[in-house]
Structures are given as C-alpha cells and as structure tokens.
Amino acid sequence: MTQVKRFKLIGVLLCCLLITGSSNHLGAIGFWHVLNTKANVLQSYWNSPAYFSAHLEQLPNSSLAILARNQISSAQYMYSLKLIKSSQSDTAKQFWLSAINDLTIPERKILATKLLEQSRWSDLELLASKNKLPAGDVLNHLKLQLKTPQSKISTAFIHDLGFSSLKNISKPNAQCMFNVLTMSDHRSGLYKLTEFINAYNKQPEPRENVFCFSKPIYVAGMLECKSSTSQIAKCDWQLSKLNNQLPNNFDFIVMMPKDGTANVTNGTMLINSKAKYSVFLHELMHFNGFEDEYALPKTKQAWLCVKTGFVAPNLFISHGESPPTGWHKAKSCQVGGTAYKPSENWSIMQYQQLGLSAQYRQLWLKHLDMTNGNFHRHPSALTFVNKAILN
C-alpha cells in the first residue's frame, strides 16, 4: 500500500469516527432535551433512534408511552415491563403482544419471567401457542400449571423446586409413628403441600414424630381428578397408572386435586389446593379416627349412628345410656342414637377454621397412647385393610 493510499484510508476512518461521535453526541443532546425541556419525544427519537433505543429505560413513563403507542417495538417492550412491574399486566399485554415478533430470545425470557412473577398463566399460554416462549424454567413452570404428564417434564427441574418424582421418593422416617406420602397433579398443589408440610413441621401436632411427610410428588398423567368446588374431591387413581407405582411402606396418602371438598377414605386424604391449613389438620385427625361433630352425611349416619358407645375419640353415641361426664350433645347424628362430644363449644372437628385446642390436643395424645398407633392405614396402592369411610 502506497503512502498516499494509507493517508486516504486513515482519513476515511477518522471521518467515520467523527460521524459516529457526532451522532452519539446529537443523540445525547436530543435525549437531554426530552428529559429536561419537554421536547417532542417522537421527533427526537427518529433523529437518533439507536441512541434512544439504548437508553429507553431512563425515559419517564409518559415519554415511553408515546413511543410505545407509535408502534416502536423496543419501546413497547420496555413500557410493557414497567406496566407489569406496577401490576398493570392487562394494559401491558397490548404492547408486548404487538412487539412480540421483534423481540430477541433474551427479551422474551425476561418478559416471560415477569409474567410468571405475576402468575399470568393465560399470557404464558398465549406465548407458548405462538411458539414465542423460550425453553427453560418458565416453560417448565407452565407445564406444571397445565398438568403436563410427569414423563414430559425434566426430573431435574422437579427436584430443583424441592419436589419429587415417582422414581425418587424418599424413604420413610423410622422415628415417626406415621409416614405420609404426599402428591399432586398440578403446580399450585405441589406448592400448597409444601406450605402445609412446613407449617406442620414448625408446630407438629399433637407432638413431634407423629406424622412425617414425603416431599410432594408430581403425578400428572398418572391419575384423573374430577370434581367441582361443591363436590367431594375424587381422584380415580386406583384404575390409573399410578396404582402399581406407589411404595407400600407408607402409612397414609395425601392427594391434592384442584377442586372438591376435603375427605378421608381408607387411609387416603383428598384435599384441594385452595384449602387452608386448619382443614388439613382436621383431615389429619381423621387419619387417627376422629369424627366430624357437624351433621354427618345421611349414608354415614345410617350405619354409624346405630352403634353404641365410643365410635371415635371425640364421639360417643347413646341409645339411652349416660354419656361420659362433661360431654355435650353433638350434631353428628340426626337419626339413630344421640351423639356426644367432649367440648361444649365448637372444636376443630366441627368448625375447621378454629384450629386445634389444648383440650383436643390432649384427647389426641391420649388416643395415640391408648392405641399405640394402631389405626387403619393405607398399606399399598392395591390393597386396603379397612372399608370404613371417614368424611
């Protein structure tokens, strides 16, 4: 290369640097005017779009909104994130949806994470339907929410969340009187079970080492749970693939569908993922033979209320016999005999929201000591040793 050509090349490069520097300088000036003199943000943007796009986050919401409403995709994206952060996700949707085809994969990941934080499941479903939801944790969370079969979700992801898979169920705790297998077919159920277990472990009832719980197991695709909010929760799991995959060394099972009223049948508790902890504790007491102190179902009264004497730690049925001293009439039996309960006031077995009283805790402990933990259990997924139903 001759010296003349070398000088020409240096000159061209210097001009490029000057132009670039001038462009950035002009962009900075225009941006300053938008921030401080209320200059026309749209006109200033088009004068220096690259500079403005790199500094959109610094614009006030009013200016950013103007750019977003003028179909500038980078502004639509940034404005939608600010709207989501301020809990205006419905308004945000019109902006990110309009810009979605122009967003990069990293931008779509950030958007999806923000939508997950706000539990915007329908929005995440929409992104997935448009093939715009990148692979990763957010997509896996959506799969859990949609009850995607457990075989189609990463086992490592499930374990990282603190849950378990059928292939990796923890062993029972030998120090505990009763070991309980917990499972759900949907995301909120897994988190609710974890919430219940943590609350129980913080204050074990009726004392420590009575109940120990497995990590919640994700079992979607292995059972079918169908019921409305007003119906008793039901899961047709005995006829499902889950039937022959459950371990037989747990005493009880807790299954958590989305809907249905809580109940205990043959060592299996069904409780929905919107239930409160006091309901869970009420159902645990059913595992140990306690009965409801409100009016029982007519079908149950037909066989239970014809009995005489103690039918549960908290229920005595009289056909003319004197009840235990200090016991009071219960509403359990409307036909047959007269039911009596230990408490004059309502208890957790009559109104679950009350929680466990000291009186019923002592009654529970006394019953455990008397029976030495000999209760109707759930020995396996195939065989039941008792046909009694405790609702």
Side-chain angles (χ1 to χ4, degrees):
M1 180 181 292
T2 64
Q3 189 172 359
V4 174
K5 288 182 177 181
R6 186 177 293 109
F7 281 131
K8 285 182 178 180
L9 179 60
I10 293 172
V12 171
L13 292 174
L14 287 173
C15 286
C16 290
L17 290 172
L18 287 171
I19 291 172
T20 302
S22 176
S23 175
N24 285 335
H25 184 66
L26 290 175
I29 293 174
F31 198 83
W32 184 90
H33 277 289
V34 168
L35 294 179
N36 297 279
T37 67
K38 297 183 180 180
N40 186 303
V41 65
L42 188 60
Q43 181 179 341
S44 299
Y45 172 87
W46 288 121
N47 288 336
S48 305
Y51 186 91
F52 269 71
S53 293
H55 297 83
L56 283 174
E57 196 169 2
Q58 300 173 32
L59 286 176
N61 284 355
S62 57
S63 298
L64 193 57
I66 292 173
L67 298 181
R69 293 189 182 105
N70 280 273
Q71 306 300 310
I72 296 172
S73 58
S74 57
Q76 289 175 319
Y77 165 71
M78 187 60 64
Y79 188 47
S80 67
L81 293 186
K82 290 193 174 186
L83 288 171
I84 293 172
K85 185 177 180 179
S86 60
S87 299
Q88 300 180 68
S89 298
D90 288 336
T91 304
K93 184 175 182 178
Q94 63 180 301
F95 293 105
W96 62 254
L97 187 57
S98 177
I100 195 65
N101 290 329
D102 297 325
L103 300 187
T104 64
I105 290 179
E107 287 174 335
R108 283 186 275 129
K109 282 187 174 182
I110 292 173
L111 172 63
T113 299
K114 299 301 181 184
L115 293 173
L116 176 63
E117 290 173 357
Q118 298 287 331
S119 297
R120 299 285 294 187
W121 299 112
S122 60
D123 290 348
L124 291 172
E125 282 188 71
L126 178 60
L127 283 175
S129 70
K130 293 180 175 293
N131 200 29
K132 297 298 183 180
L133 184 58
D137 285 355
V138 176
L139 178 58
N140 284 327
H141 276 288
L142 178 61
K143 288 180 178 180
L144 289 181
Q145 179 69 13
L146 297 178
K147 302 201 292 188
T148 302
Q150 45 86 34
S151 59
K152 297 183 179 180
I153 297 182
S154 164
T155 300
F157 173 74
I158 293 174
H159 292 171
D160 286 345
L161 294 180
F163 308 132
S164 182
S165 63
L166 284 169
K167 297 179 181 179
N168 191 35
I169 299 175
S170 56
K171 294 181 179 180
N173 187 334
Q175 294 182 341
C176 282
M177 186 176 289
F178 307 111
N179 280 274
V180 184
L181 206 60
T182 68
M183 61 188 68
S184 185
D185 62 350
H186 63 291
R187 181 182 183 275
S188 56
L190 296 172
Y191 280 98
K192 178 63 77 169
L193 284 170
T194 300
E195 177 187 319
F196 283 172
I197 293 169
N198 289 341
Y200 180 88
N201 289 338
K202 188 175 181 180
Q203 184 176 336
E205 296 289 6
R207 65 178 175 225
E208 286 189 276
N209 297 328
V210 173
F211 289 102
C212 285
F213 302 90
S214 73
K215 289 182 179 180
I217 307 165
Y218 184 62
V219 293
M222 305 296 287
L223 76 164
E224 186 72 19
C225 297
K226 289 184 177 180
S227 56
S228 67
T229 54
S230 60
Q231 295 175 321
I232 291 177
K234 294 181 179 179
C235 293
D236 299 328
W237 65 276
Q238 287 103 326
L239 301 177
S240 72
K241 298 176 183 178
L242 182 65
N243 195 335
N244 58 1
Q245 294 194 35
L246 295 179
N248 60 9
N249 51 359
F250 281 80
D251 302 298
F252 302 112
I253 292 178
V254 175
M255 292 184 177
M256 183 166 280
K258 281 190 174 181
D259 298 301
T261 58
N263 61 95
V264 169
T265 305
N266 297 322
T268 301
M269 180 196 304
L270 292 176
I271 182 170
N272 71 66
S273 53
K274 295 179 281 292
K276 295 184 177 180
Y277 177 71
S278 57
V279 177
F280 177 65
L281 195 58
H282 170 104
E283 300 302 326
L284 280 183
M285 295 177 75
H286 279 319
F287 277 160
N288 290 163
F290 280 75
E291 273 293 356
D292 293 318
E293 294 172 2
Y294 51 77
L296 297 169
K298 291 181 180 179
T299 52
K300 186 168 188 177
Q301 290 189 45
W303 61 264
L304 182 66
C305 295
V306 297
K307 295 184 177 182
T308 301
F310 286 100
V311 297
N314 64 318
L315 208 64
F316 180 92
I317 298 177
S318 168
H319 292 268
E321 300 84 2
S322 297
T325 302
W327 283 47
H328 307 270
K329 285 186 178 181
K331 296 182 178 180
S332 307
C333 294
Q334 306 297 307
V335 297
T338 302
Y340 290 87
K341 60 188 179 71
S343 174
E344 181 178 8
N345 300 318
W346 284 14
S347 76
I348 188 174
M349 299 312 295
Q350 184 171 0
Y351 185 61
Q352 298 146 347
Q353 311 305 327
L354 289 176
L356 184 64
S357 67
Q359 180 188 15
Y360 275 65
R361 182 178 294 109
Q362 289 303 313
L363 186 64
W364 195 354
L365 288 169
K366 180 180 177 181
H367 189 60
L368 287 175
D369 292 339
M370 286 176 59
T371 57
N372 196 29
N374 184 22
F375 295 103
H376 302 308
R377 307 186 182 202
H378 188 295
S380 71
L382 292 172
T383 305
F384 299 100
V385 297
N386 187 271
K387 297 297 181 182
I389 298 177
L390 298 174
N391 290 321

